[in-house]
Amino acid sequence: MTGDNVYGDDELAALYDLVYSDYDHDLDLYAGFARRGETPSLELCVGSGRVALHLARAGLRVVGIDASRPMLARLQAALDERTAPNIRLVEGDVRAVDLGERFDMVYCALDSFEQMLTPDDAAATLRCVARHLAPGGAFVAELRTLRSVDWSGEPSPLRHEWTRAGADGSTVSKFSSMRASLASQTTTTALIFDRVPAGGGPVHRRAFDVTLRVFTRAEVELLLRAAGLRLAHVYGDAGLSPFTDDSDTMIIVAEGEGS
Ligand SMILES: C[S@@+](CC[C@H](N)C(=O)[O-])C[C@H]1O[C@@H](n2cnc3c(N)ncnc32)[C@H](O)[C@@H]1O
């Protein structure tokens, strides 16, 4: 978000779940770090709860912050007897929130931190991390690497990614094209979703762009330091493999400077 919120209405929030509901590569990563702590974990940009619900089902407690009411409403609606006692939700902007509490793990999953398009946004979010991190606690986040992006400047051809059944029985097809800008260190993905209602009828099209920042390792290290945090480890994937020249993602683990 932090410019236009691409998760700001019910239809967009539902499309998010249709796209990401089967993303599970990182669930064990965050559960593993959460188990090391004694306090609840704090998830920045919790969205509709893809990760938070996994932790709550495992008996781990989570406080989730998000700026999108529709995304939080979906998470609230997904809670049941087992998970509801383990999840507390806060509507707010992760650049500014101050809960007055400290957590053994603060995390920001998937591409959520990459929504911080300017150095000021990223710095403000990391200051939020610093004021919520308990002594000895860890901040964990996933970021793409420079290597993972095609920097040629040409938009990739519009591609049909999949066709899936929507929750209401409709059929949804996803198309996307990405272009990267080296000057702004961003990628912008043009997304098109075509929905055919159950039983046929006119196609409803929803089209929008998602712009995300690509951070370098050194930049992250400096941003963390400016916020009073220290980069403790960088891994190459959610399985904590070594970070190498061939890594498409960085899993960063940061600690408070005094830790
Ligand atoms: C990619 S989605 C959620 C991803 C979720 N962490 C996951 O792993 O499935 C990104 C979320 O970030 C939220 N968001 C963006 N900017 C924000 C901000 N400045 N403060 C709080 N939430 C924000 C959006 O509302 C959206 O729900």
Side-chain angles (χ1 to χ4, degrees):
M1 195 186 89
T2 323
D4 296 329
N5 192 351
V6 294
Y7 307 97
D9 65 48
D10 292 342
E11 183 183 36
L12 291 169
L15 283 172
Y16 180 83
D17 278 351
L18 198 58
V19 174
Y20 289 104
S21 54
D22 59 353
Y23 272 50
D24 59 3
H25 69 284
D26 53 354
L27 300 181
D28 289 345
L29 168 75
Y30 296 111
F33 275 96
R35 281 197 189 95
R36 295 182 192 181
E38 288 172 7
T39 67
S41 299
L42 176 64
E43 178 165 358
L44 305 184
C45 302
V46 66
S48 50
R50 189 184 60 86
V51 181
L53 284 167
H54 176 76
L55 299 195
R57 284 187 199 111
L60 297 158
R61 289 170 299 147
V62 185
V63 176
I65 304 176
D66 204 282
S68 160
R69 197 166 290 177
M71 292 292 269
L72 290 174
R74 290 186 75 81
L75 173 43
Q76 191 74 46
L79 295 176
D80 57 23
E81 272 181 13
R82 187 156 62 109
T83 49
N86 290 337
I87 295 192
R88 177 153 54 97
L89 299 178
V90 178
E91 185 181 334
D93 188 322
V94 296
R95 294 167 296 176
V97 153
D98 186 350
L99 301 178
E101 292 169 67
R102 299 218 172 231
F103 300 83
D104 289 327
M105 177 179 60
V106 180
Y107 68 101
C108 196
L110 218 55
D111 52 17
S112 297
F113 189 76
E114 297 176 3
Q115 298 172 109
M116 305 306 147
L117 298 182
T118 67
D120 283 348
D121 287 339
T125 303
L126 292 176
R127 285 195 297 274
C128 173
V129 171
R131 66 178 164 264
H132 290 101
L133 206 57
F139 170 57
V140 186
E142 178 171 359
L143 299 167
R144 290 172 300 169
T145 59
L146 287 173
R147 178 191 186 280
S148 70
V149 173
D150 170 7
W151 293 104
S152 66
E154 295 298 319
S156 62
L158 187 68
R159 188 166 72 89
H160 170 247
E161 287 192 35
W162 46 250
T163 296
R164 291 184 182 166
D168 57 0
S170 61
T171 304
V172 181
S173 298
K174 179 187 180 201
F175 303 84
S176 72
S177 163
M178 183 188 277
R179 65 180 185 283
S181 161
L182 260 178
S184 61
Q185 232 173 279
T186 57
T187 58
T188 298
T189 305
L191 290 164
I192 297 172
F193 292 91
D194 283 347
R195 182 184 296 275
V196 181
V203 175
H204 168 71
R205 171 165 286 186
R206 189 81 197 247
F208 53 96
D209 287 352
V210 175
T211 298
L212 297 170
R213 183 85 195 272
V214 183
F215 291 88
T216 67
R217 175 187 174 148
E219 188 181 10
V220 170
E221 199 159 353
L222 285 171
L223 283 165
L224 287 166
R225 216 177 282 173
L229 299 164
R230 185 178 64 83
L231 185 59
H233 302 285
V234 183
Y235 299 102
D237 60 35
L240 303 184
S241 301
F243 181 63
T244 70
D245 291 346
D246 295 327
S247 301
D248 285 331
T249 58
M250 290 187 269
I251 304 294
I252 60 153
V253 180
E255 298 171 346
E257 254 165 6
S259 297

